[in-house]
Amino acid sequence: MPRGELKMKTIYQRLDEIIPKITDKSFRESMGLGNEMGYYIFDYEPKYELLVRDHIEFIKQKISDECSDINIKEFDLYEIILETMDKKGYLQKNIEMEKKKGSKYVFNAIRKSLRLTLKNDMVLDYILNRVEPNDIVFITGVGKAWPIMRSHTVLNNLHNAIDQVPVVMFFPGEYDGLELILFNEIKDDNYYRAFQLIDKY
């Protein structure tokens, strides 16, 4: 049947397919284009953000209760930024700075202080130091962390550092296997190394 005649799945149908997908043995054995562990994106309409967040909590609890050999490790990019800035003693300073100099100045200051995209990227280090062999990594908070962190940059950095466990990014926008469009409006950049976690049709 041509794609135009296929019926698009609802967000509820797609969310319900996540647990069967990630608990299937083949999921943790599938390899990406460079023969590294698979990277996946679950894209969704931004209006479903709260629904997706709630379902992620449900997934984590169900996997914890029923699958002793799998551990979901969630990393909320925005929360990592806040926690790291707070530990460095920069959080309050940035709040004051934003009042005086505006958001754009502060966003750049945060990027520099977290050394984003550099060899000692503090957000990447935060994630790497917490990933273990049986984990499935969930990356969340993508919309909240924008524009400090951009999706394709996060994925590229992770791809270069994590290749032993599957990584799933929950993306509030559209991913067609090449383009990442955050909030269905902001074109991030081309990214072709991730699979769709759950098909839309």
Side-chain angles (χ1 to χ4, degrees), residues 24 39 44 50 52 58-59 65 71 91 94-95 112 114 125 148 156 158 160 181:
D24 189 291
Y39 273 59
Y44 55 92
L50 296 180
V52 172
F58 167 75
I59 292 171
D65 291 343
N71 183 47
L91 194 56
N94 277 302
I95 292 170
K112 287 178 182 175
L114 294 177
D125 285 348
I148 296 170
N156 277 324
L158 286 172
N160 292 330
I181 306 176

Short mmCIF file of all heavy atoms in Angstrom, two decimals, residues 24 39 44 50 52 58-59 65 71 91 94-95 112 114 125 148 156 158 160 181:
data_model
loop_
_atom_site.label_atom_id
_atom_site.label_comp_id
_atom_site.label_asym_id
_atom_site.label_seq_id
_atom_site.Cartn_x
_atom_site.Cartn_y
_atom_site.Cartn_z
N ASP A 24 13.13 -6.15 23.12
CA ASP A 24 13.47 -7.20 22.17
C ASP A 24 15.00 -7.33 22.12
O ASP A 24 15.72 -6.34 22.05
CB ASP A 24 12.93 -6.82 20.78
CG ASP A 24 13.05 -7.96 19.80
OD1 ASP A 24 14.19 -8.29 19.42
OD2 ASP A 24 12.02 -8.53 19.40
N TYR A 39 21.73 4.12 17.41
CA TYR A 39 21.18 5.37 17.94
C TYR A 39 19.78 5.55 17.36
O TYR A 39 19.57 5.30 16.16
CB TYR A 39 22.07 6.55 17.56
CG TYR A 39 23.19 6.79 18.55
CD1 TYR A 39 24.13 5.80 18.82
CD2 TYR A 39 23.28 7.98 19.25
CE1 TYR A 39 25.15 6.00 19.73
CE2 TYR A 39 24.29 8.19 20.17
CZ TYR A 39 25.22 7.20 20.41
OH TYR A 39 26.22 7.40 21.33
N TYR A 44 8.12 13.46 18.08
CA TYR A 44 6.70 13.60 18.42
C TYR A 44 6.30 15.07 18.34
O TYR A 44 7.14 15.98 18.42
CB TYR A 44 6.41 13.05 19.82
CG TYR A 44 7.27 13.68 20.91
CD1 TYR A 44 6.84 14.80 21.62
CD2 TYR A 44 8.52 13.15 21.22
CE1 TYR A 44 7.63 15.37 22.62
CE2 TYR A 44 9.31 13.71 22.21
CZ TYR A 44 8.86 14.82 22.90
OH TYR A 44 9.66 15.39 23.87
N LEU A 50 4.19 16.71 27.62
CA LEU A 50 3.89 16.21 28.97
C LEU A 50 3.46 14.75 28.94
O LEU A 50 3.80 13.97 29.84
CB LEU A 50 2.81 17.07 29.64
CG LEU A 50 3.21 18.53 29.89
CD1 LEU A 50 2.08 19.28 30.57
CD2 LEU A 50 4.48 18.62 30.74
N VAL A 52 4.49 12.52 26.76
CA VAL A 52 5.72 11.74 26.54
C VAL A 52 6.53 11.64 27.83
O VAL A 52 7.03 10.56 28.18
CB VAL A 52 6.55 12.35 25.39
CG1 VAL A 52 7.92 11.66 25.30
CG2 VAL A 52 5.81 12.22 24.07
N PHE A 58 6.70 5.92 33.13
CA PHE A 58 6.03 4.61 33.13
C PHE A 58 6.96 3.52 32.58
O PHE A 58 7.07 2.43 33.15
CB PHE A 58 4.74 4.69 32.28
CG PHE A 58 4.14 3.35 31.96
CD1 PHE A 58 3.45 2.64 32.93
CD2 PHE A 58 4.28 2.80 30.69
CE1 PHE A 58 2.89 1.38 32.64
CE2 PHE A 58 3.73 1.56 30.39
CZ PHE A 58 3.04 0.84 31.37
N ILE A 59 7.64 3.82 31.48
CA ILE A 59 8.56 2.86 30.88
C ILE A 59 9.67 2.49 31.86
O ILE A 59 9.98 1.30 32.06
CB ILE A 59 9.18 3.43 29.59
CG1 ILE A 59 8.13 3.56 28.48
CG2 ILE A 59 10.35 2.55 29.11
CD1 ILE A 59 8.62 4.31 27.25
N ASP A 65 10.72 -3.01 37.11
CA ASP A 65 9.95 -4.06 37.79
C ASP A 65 10.06 -5.42 37.11
O ASP A 65 10.01 -6.45 37.77
CB ASP A 65 8.47 -3.67 37.88
CG ASP A 65 8.23 -2.49 38.81
OD1 ASP A 65 9.12 -2.18 39.62
OD2 ASP A 65 7.14 -1.88 38.70
N ASN A 71 18.49 -1.77 32.18
CA ASN A 71 18.34 -0.60 33.03
C ASN A 71 18.19 0.64 32.15
O ASN A 71 19.02 0.88 31.28
CB ASN A 71 19.57 -0.44 33.94
CG ASN A 71 19.40 0.73 34.89
OD1 ASN A 71 18.37 0.88 35.52
ND2 ASN A 71 20.42 1.57 34.99
N LEU A 91 25.17 29.30 38.71
CA LEU A 91 23.75 29.41 38.39
C LEU A 91 23.18 30.77 38.78
O LEU A 91 22.58 31.47 37.96
CB LEU A 91 22.96 28.29 39.09
CG LEU A 91 21.52 28.07 38.60
CD1 LEU A 91 21.47 27.82 37.11
CD2 LEU A 91 20.88 26.90 39.35
N ASN A 94 24.52 33.58 36.67
CA ASN A 94 23.93 33.68 35.34
C ASN A 94 22.54 34.30 35.36
O ASN A 94 22.15 35.00 34.43
CB ASN A 94 23.88 32.29 34.69
CG ASN A 94 25.19 31.92 34.04
OD1 ASN A 94 25.69 32.62 33.17
ND2 ASN A 94 25.78 30.82 34.48
N ILE A 95 21.80 34.01 36.44
CA ILE A 95 20.48 34.63 36.58
C ILE A 95 20.61 36.14 36.67
O ILE A 95 19.88 36.91 36.03
CB ILE A 95 19.75 34.07 37.82
CG1 ILE A 95 19.39 32.58 37.58
CG2 ILE A 95 18.48 34.87 38.11
CD1 ILE A 95 18.88 31.86 38.81
N LYS A 112 30.28 28.35 27.10
CA LYS A 112 31.72 28.41 27.37
C LYS A 112 32.06 27.78 28.72
O LYS A 112 33.03 27.04 28.84
CB LYS A 112 32.18 29.87 27.34
CG LYS A 112 32.23 30.46 25.95
CD LYS A 112 32.66 31.92 25.99
CE LYS A 112 32.65 32.52 24.59
NZ LYS A 112 32.94 33.97 24.60
N LEU A 114 30.49 25.48 30.34
CA LEU A 114 30.30 24.03 30.31
C LEU A 114 31.21 23.35 29.28
O LEU A 114 31.19 22.14 29.15
CB LEU A 114 28.84 23.69 29.99
CG LEU A 114 27.79 24.09 31.03
CD1 LEU A 114 26.39 23.75 30.54
CD2 LEU A 114 28.06 23.39 32.36
N ASP A 125 30.67 14.53 29.67
CA ASP A 125 31.35 13.82 30.76
C ASP A 125 30.35 13.35 31.82
O ASP A 125 30.48 12.25 32.35
CB ASP A 125 32.39 14.74 31.43
CG ASP A 125 33.64 14.89 30.57
OD1 ASP A 125 33.79 14.12 29.60
OD2 ASP A 125 34.44 15.79 30.86
N ILE A 148 20.77 26.53 24.15
CA ILE A 148 22.10 26.31 24.71
C ILE A 148 22.75 25.09 24.06
O ILE A 148 23.92 25.10 23.68
CB ILE A 148 22.03 26.14 26.24
CG1 ILE A 148 21.52 27.43 26.89
CG2 ILE A 148 23.40 25.77 26.80
CD1 ILE A 148 21.18 27.30 28.36
N ASN A 156 26.04 13.96 17.84
CA ASN A 156 27.39 13.76 17.31
C ASN A 156 28.39 13.50 18.43
O ASN A 156 29.23 12.60 18.33
CB ASN A 156 27.83 14.98 16.49
CG ASN A 156 27.32 14.94 15.06
OD1 ASN A 156 27.23 13.88 14.46
ND2 ASN A 156 26.95 16.09 14.53
N LEU A 158 27.78 12.36 21.47
CA LEU A 158 27.51 11.06 22.08
C LEU A 158 28.00 9.93 21.17
O LEU A 158 28.57 8.94 21.64
CB LEU A 158 26.02 10.90 22.36
CG LEU A 158 25.45 11.70 23.53
CD1 LEU A 158 23.93 11.59 23.55
CD2 LEU A 158 26.02 11.20 24.86
N ASN A 160 30.41 9.86 19.21
CA ASN A 160 31.86 9.72 19.26
C ASN A 160 32.34 9.12 20.58
O ASN A 160 33.50 8.74 20.70
CB ASN A 160 32.52 11.09 19.06
CG ASN A 160 32.32 11.62 17.65
OD1 ASN A 160 32.20 10.85 16.72
ND2 ASN A 160 32.26 12.93 17.51
N ILE A 181 14.03 18.84 12.93
CA ILE A 181 13.34 20.13 12.96
C ILE A 181 12.67 20.28 14.33
O ILE A 181 11.61 19.69 14.59
CB ILE A 181 12.30 20.25 11.82
CG1 ILE A 181 12.98 19.99 10.47
CG2 ILE A 181 11.65 21.64 11.83
CD1 ILE A 181 12.04 19.99 9.29
#
